[in-house]
């Protein structure tokens, strides 16, 4: 386990990156792209979005723009970074994410935690931020979206868990999980009924 603060933040960022890509393993092209929430959340769109976040926060913010930045990263189209167009292959978008990682990792390696960047989309009072704050922000952002991906993947095929090597879930079979889910549903109904707001 790393003890240097920058190494600790980098490790947590990498764990979130790995978890996010793991959620794409074994899904069909359709399932990688299809929206599974009313706001359109989808697996490949999450990867695309986080690529943009890292390219901006660990690139532009520190005057180190990503070379060959895709045009969609600067598009005015709402949510251009949240879904994959039919002409954008999974391999292309995953490859871009890995290229962004390498670029971001070079920024992390080159700068001290106290190096200050400028985040033009933050408020005037907050926009000059050190690498330390940017890394905390990206760790939170990437883990948040890895959690979204975990839920989306569970909706697709029931697959869930934290990491490839440790899913962080109790080891039970499908019938146990069905019974557990029914128990949680029953508790919710009883609480709603007791409050007079049954469904």
């Amino acid at each position: 386990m790393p003890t240097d603060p920058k190494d600790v933040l980098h490790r947590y960022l990498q764990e979130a990156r790995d978890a996010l890509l793991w959620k794409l393993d074994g899904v069909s092209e359709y399932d990688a792209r299809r929206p599974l929430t009313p706001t359109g959340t989808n697996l490949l769109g999450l990867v695309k979005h986080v690529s943009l976040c890292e390219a901006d926060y660990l690139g532009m913010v520190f005057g180190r723009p990503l070379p060959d930045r895709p045009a969609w990263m600067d598009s005015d189209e709402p949510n251009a970074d949240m879904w994959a167009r039919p002409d954008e292959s999974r391999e292309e978008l995953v490859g871009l994410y890995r290229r962004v990682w390498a670029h971001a990792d070079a920024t992390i390696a080159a700068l001290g935690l106290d190096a200050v960047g400028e985040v033009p989309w933050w408020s005037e009072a907050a926009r000059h931020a050190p690498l330390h704050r940017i890394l905390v922000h990206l760790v939170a952002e990437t883990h948040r979206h890895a959690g979204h991906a975990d839920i989306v993947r569970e909706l697709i095929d029931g697959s869930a868990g934290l990491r490839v090597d440790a899913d962080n879930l109790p080891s039970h079979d499908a019938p146990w999980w069905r019974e557990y889910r029914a128990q949680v549903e029953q508790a919710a109904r009883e609480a709603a009924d007791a409050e007079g707001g049954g469904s």
Side-chain angles (χ1 to χ4, degrees):
M1 294 288 285
T3 56
D4 176 78
K6 185 163 71 167
D7 292 342
V8 170
L9 289 166
H10 191 197
R11 175 178 167 264
Y12 276 94
L13 177 59
Q14 189 59 52
E15 284 182 357
R17 291 165 169 171
D18 292 338
L20 186 55
L21 285 189
W22 173 45
K23 296 303 171 178
L24 283 169
D25 286 356
V27 298
S28 70
E29 201 61 37
Y30 173 68
D31 285 338
R33 297 164 180 268
R34 69 180 170 123
L36 282 155
T37 69
T39 56
T41 306
N42 63 93
L43 291 174
L44 209 47
L46 290 168
V47 171
K48 194 174 173 183
H49 172 69
V50 175
S51 297
L52 173 62
C53 291
E54 282 202 40
D56 283 353
Y57 281 105
L58 291 172
M60 289 191 331
V61 163
F62 291 98
R64 300 167 60 91
L66 179 72
D68 303 319
R69 185 178 166 97
W72 62 261
M73 284 190 170
D74 300 308
S75 172
D76 290 332
E77 175 194 339
N79 280 2
D81 60 321
M82 296 300 293
W83 63 288
R85 296 186 323 260
D87 63 330
E88 293 175 319
S89 73
R90 182 190 322 207
E91 292 73 23
E92 173 189 348
L93 292 176
V94 169
L96 171 65
Y97 190 29
R98 291 186 185 280
R99 186 164 65 86
V100 168
W101 286 5
H103 185 74
D105 288 351
T107 298
I108 295 167
L111 302 176
L113 286 178
D114 58 351
V116 175
E118 183 176 1
V119 187
W121 52 91
W122 285 5
S123 73
E124 187 65 42
R127 74 176 42 178
H128 293 94
L131 177 63
H132 185 208
R133 181 171 179 203
I134 298 298
L135 282 173
V136 169
H137 177 82
L138 278 176
V139 167
E141 176 85 3
T142 310
H143 274 279
R144 175 176 179 255
H145 291 308
H148 293 153
D150 192 32
I151 292 168
V152 168
R153 180 63 189 262
E154 187 173 359
L155 291 170
I156 290 169
D157 63 6
S159 175
L162 179 65
R163 297 192 309 264
V164 174
D165 60 339
D167 65 15
N168 207 33
L169 294 168
S171 297
H172 294 293
D173 59 12
W176 184 92
W177 282 108
R178 282 193 297 274
E179 185 176 325
Y180 166 75
R181 188 187 183 288
Q183 178 184 358
V184 173
E185 174 69 24
Q186 183 61 35
R189 289 183 184 281
E190 288 176 17
D193 288 345
E195 197 173 286
S199 58

